């Protein structure tokens, strides 16, 4: 079997989808395989690795101004995955307009919401991949069925 180039279709990784979080709230999510999110996530991990490397074996510490991995991940999700919401409320029950800063705080403060966003964004990515595979499987050649594709008289 020969090694074959597989084209990567990124068109669906740029499409957001509304998902129901609870009876009152819907959120607009990008797929987890969103390229911008993946690049930013890799950068975050490299930065954390560099920070960790500053400490010797068996020692731990915190660099001034450093944020936790969870805090960083909340910022990335708010910037690249969670795009909007409907029905979100503040502590007093007032409607809450979407912003990246508020979304970061919402993700940081609500573990269930954090997990929901990651799981649903992963599901959207998987659904998109499955849809693309189905489309590829249904594509047919424009031939008459002969090897050359030319009609035989």
């Amino acid at each position: 079997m020969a090694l074959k180039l597989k084209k990567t279709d990124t068109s669906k990784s740029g499409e957001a989808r509304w998902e129901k979080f609870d009876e009152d709230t819907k959120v607009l999510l990008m797929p987890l395989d969103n390229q911008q999110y993946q690049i930013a996530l890799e950068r975050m991990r490299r930065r954390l690795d560099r920070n960790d490397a500053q400490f010797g074996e068996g020692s731990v510490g915190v660099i001034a101004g450093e944020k936790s991995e969870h805090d960083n991940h909340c910022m990335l999700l708010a910037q690249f995955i969670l795009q909007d919401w409907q029905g979100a409320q503040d502590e007093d029950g007032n409607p809450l307009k979407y912003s990246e800063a508020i979304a970061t705080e919402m993700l940081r403060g609500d573990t269930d919401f954090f997990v929901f966003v990651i799981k649903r964004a992963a599901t959207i990515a998987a659904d998109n991949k499955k849809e693309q595979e189905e489309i590829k499987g249904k594509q047919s050649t424009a031939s008459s069925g002969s090897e050359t594709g030319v009609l035989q008289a």
Side-chain angles (χ1 to χ4, degrees):
M1 174 185 263
L3 177 64
K4 294 184 180 180
L5 174 66
K6 293 184 180 180
K7 293 184 180 178
T8 305
D9 184 358
T10 58
S11 61
K12 294 292 280 186
S13 67
E15 294 181 18
R17 188 164 85 188
W18 285 101
E19 297 288 328
K20 185 176 179 178
F21 175 66
D22 60 27
E23 290 302 314
D24 301 316
T25 314
K26 293 190 318 185
V27 294
L28 185 62
L29 301 175
M30 294 292 286
L32 200 61
D33 62 355
N34 172 290
Q35 187 174 18
Q36 292 178 320
Y37 168 75
Q38 293 297 324
I39 291 169
L41 183 61
E42 290 170 9
R43 278 199 182 118
M44 177 195 77
R45 288 179 176 154
R46 285 193 303 266
R47 186 178 65 239
L48 290 172
D49 287 344
R50 277 193 311 272
N51 290 348
D52 287 348
Q54 294 182 24
F55 300 98
E57 184 69 32
S59 67
V60 293
V62 176
I63 297 171
E66 186 176 29
K67 291 183 176 10
S68 71
E69 183 173 353
H70 178 70
D71 287 350
N72 280 299
H73 208 146
C74 290
M75 288 188 296
L76 294 179
L77 290 171
Q79 185 173 359
F80 298 107
I81 301 298
L82 179 58
Q83 301 294 295
D84 199 1
W85 54 45
Q86 295 175 351
Q89 301 176 352
D90 66 14
E91 293 173 345
D92 300 322
N94 299 312
L96 194 58
K97 184 174 169 61
Y98 178 84
S99 76
E100 283 182 23
I102 294 171
T104 299
E105 289 302 313
M106 187 81 80
L107 289 159
R108 185 180 296 130
D110 188 335
T111 304
D112 291 336
F113 185 56
F114 177 87
V115 171
F116 171 84
V117 168
I118 291 175
K119 283 185 174 181
R120 291 304 302 157
T123 299
I124 294 168
D127 290 350
N128 289 345
K129 183 177 181 181
K130 182 179 177 184
E131 182 180 322
Q132 290 302 314
E133 288 171 358
E134 288 173 359
I135 290 170
K136 286 178 186 175
K138 290 180 182 178
Q139 290 176 342
S140 62
T141 59
S143 73
S144 63
S146 66
E147 287 183 342
T148 61
V150 178
L151 285 173
Q152 304 286 325

